[in-house]
Amino acid sequence: MKKLIIPFVLLLVLVVGACGKSETTPKEDNATPAESEAATFTYESETGPVEVPTNPKRVVMLSGFTGNVIQLGVPVVGADIWSKDNPTFEKEMQDVEEVSDEDLEKIIELDPDLIIGLSTIKNGDKLQAIAPTVTYTWGKLDYLNQHIEIGKLLNKEEEAKAWVEDFTKRVEEAGDEIRAEIGEDATVSVLETYGKDIYVFGDNWARGTEILYQGMGLKMPEKVKEMALESGYFALSAEVIPEYAGDYIVLSKYSDADNSFQETQTYQNIPAVKNGHLFEMKGEGASFSDPVTLEKQLQFFKDSFLGK
């Protein structure tokens, strides 16, 4: 009789154990990462801690960082006029509403779960009442660390770091090829025409300057270094362009700019112009330094300097 009781007890234990597993396993299997993740987290912004969504789905952009958000795959529902009109983002901006820091009613209608702006935006307190609002001071971080910082805000820090690492490597490789092609001592100037104004830029003022000078290590003319490196940019008259012209010139031109100076003998006698070392890019959208724009500019420089 004892021989019969012991197997019965063992069977009962196994059945109970199996039942116990059948009650707990489905719960564990059904627990998706999204369900186990908190809906919000505390982001340490420039102005203090802000409770932000872990997976934002309706972001309003009041800054020049729209391309950073696009590159990280986070939906934008409203953006400033500069982002909205940027031809680089034409596809992504198709269904995005144009807003400003004064369009509070319009922003409310968009029902954002996150607002990203510059530190200089108006109505910060009112925007904060609509949705968590995070602002950045333009230029406080360099263009690559700015992307990583926005990656932290959007819970996509690793993705942002991966892009920065890969992009940095590709820029360095392209820089090595370009310097081998044009010479280690060759200089490059970056100019822009906007309305009736002409500017020359230092090494951190968009228009591809970060790529050319910081990433590729190309040299700028001494006169540019003297007048524009610290301030970021310097306004010129057409007559003195030869003083700032490098062996190569990158010219950013807005479609409505006055480019009549290009018809003058002074301009046409600049060695870079005479030698075909003038590379013209579209001004609209060139003033951004986000990943989407940087990828476009890197390809432009490879096409221009290397023909590929």
Side-chain angles (χ1 to χ4, degrees):
M1 188 65 182
K2 285 183 179 178
K3 289 180 180 179
L4 291 175
I5 290 175
I6 292 174
F8 176 77
V9 171
L10 286 173
L11 179 62
L12 182 62
V13 169
L14 290 172
V15 170
V16 171
C19 290
K21 288 180 181 176
S22 67
E23 289 175 357
T24 56
T25 302
K27 288 183 180 177
E28 293 169 359
D29 290 344
N30 290 336
T32 63
E35 288 172 339
S36 61
E37 205 170 40
T40 63
F41 72 98
T42 303
Y43 173 73
E44 293 297 335
S45 76
E46 287 181 17
T47 57
V50 181
E51 198 71 8
V52 299
T54 304
N55 295 296
K57 293 180 171 54
R58 299 183 63 79
V59 181
V60 164
M61 300 300 301
L62 299 173
S63 70
F65 304 123
T66 303
N68 301 81
V69 178
I70 291 173
Q71 195 274 333
L72 291 169
V74 175
V76 176
V77 295
D80 55 90
I81 187 172
W82 287 93
S83 298
K84 182 68 179 171
D85 290 347
N86 187 336
T88 306
F89 309 149
E90 183 177 4
K91 181 181 176 183
E92 292 84 355
M93 291 290 106
Q94 270 185 342
D95 299 321
V96 172
E97 290 289 332
E98 180 186 319
V99 294
S100 78
D101 52 8
E102 296 181 336
D103 294 333
L104 299 180
E105 289 186 11
K106 197 168 184 179
I107 292 175
I108 291 171
E109 290 174 3
L110 291 174
D111 190 26
D113 55 5
L114 180 64
I115 300 172
I116 302 175
L118 291 175
S119 57
T120 53
I121 60 172
K122 301 174 183 174
N123 296 312
D125 292 344
K126 295 176 181 174
L127 290 167
Q128 193 69 253
I130 298 171
T133 301
V134 173
T135 59
Y136 295 101
T137 302
W138 184 263
K140 186 172 183 176
L141 296 175
D142 66 51
Y143 67 116
L144 296 177
N145 280 309
Q146 181 66 66
H147 187 54
I148 293 173
E149 191 60 35
I150 291 176
K152 293 178 185 175
L153 169 64
L154 301 177
N155 192 27
K156 291 181 178 291
E157 182 179 3
E158 293 308 313
E159 291 93 326
K161 284 182 175 177
W163 179 83
V164 167
E165 182 178 352
D166 176 63
F167 183 74
T168 300
K169 182 181 177 183
R170 286 186 285 124
V171 167
E172 289 175 351
E173 290 172 350
D176 290 342
E177 287 188 67
I178 291 173
R179 293 198 312 280
E181 178 71 22
I182 69 175
E184 291 288 341
D185 294 328
T187 57
V188 182
S189 302
V190 179
L191 304 175
E192 184 171 88
T193 56
Y194 180 77
K196 295 183 178 180
D197 299 319
I198 305 171
Y199 300 94
V200 64
F201 298 96
D203 66 352
N204 65 346
W205 215 259
R207 288 87 179 169
T209 55
E210 293 89 351
I211 295 175
L212 294 170
Y213 298 128
Q214 296 184 42
M216 293 181 174
L218 302 184
K219 294 183 177 179
M220 67 175 63
E222 286 300 318
K223 189 71 173 178
V224 178
K225 194 181 295 184
E226 176 187 347
M227 302 304 292
L229 184 57
E230 185 174 347
S231 59
Y233 68 94
F234 183 70
L236 302 176
S237 65
E239 291 74 20
V240 300
I241 289 178
E243 297 177 30
Y244 295 84
D247 300 307
Y248 291 79
I249 296 175
V250 174
L251 177 59
S252 167
K253 297 169 65 174
Y254 276 80
S255 56
D256 59 352
D258 178 4
N259 295 304
S260 58
F261 69 92
Q262 288 189 286
E263 305 302 321
T264 66
Q265 285 298 308
T266 300
Y267 178 79
Q268 292 181 1
N269 283 328
I270 294 173
V273 177
K274 291 177 70 175
N275 294 331
H277 295 170
L278 170 69
F279 307 136
E280 296 187 356
M281 66 161 62
K282 186 179 288 187
E284 285 85 356
S287 61
F288 285 66
S289 55
D290 58 81
V292 179
T293 303
L294 291 167
E295 291 283 4
K296 180 181 176 182
Q297 291 172 341
L298 174 58
Q299 188 58 54
F300 173 80
F301 294 138
K302 290 168 71 174
D303 290 341
S304 300
F305 285 98
L306 302 172
K308 65 178 184 181

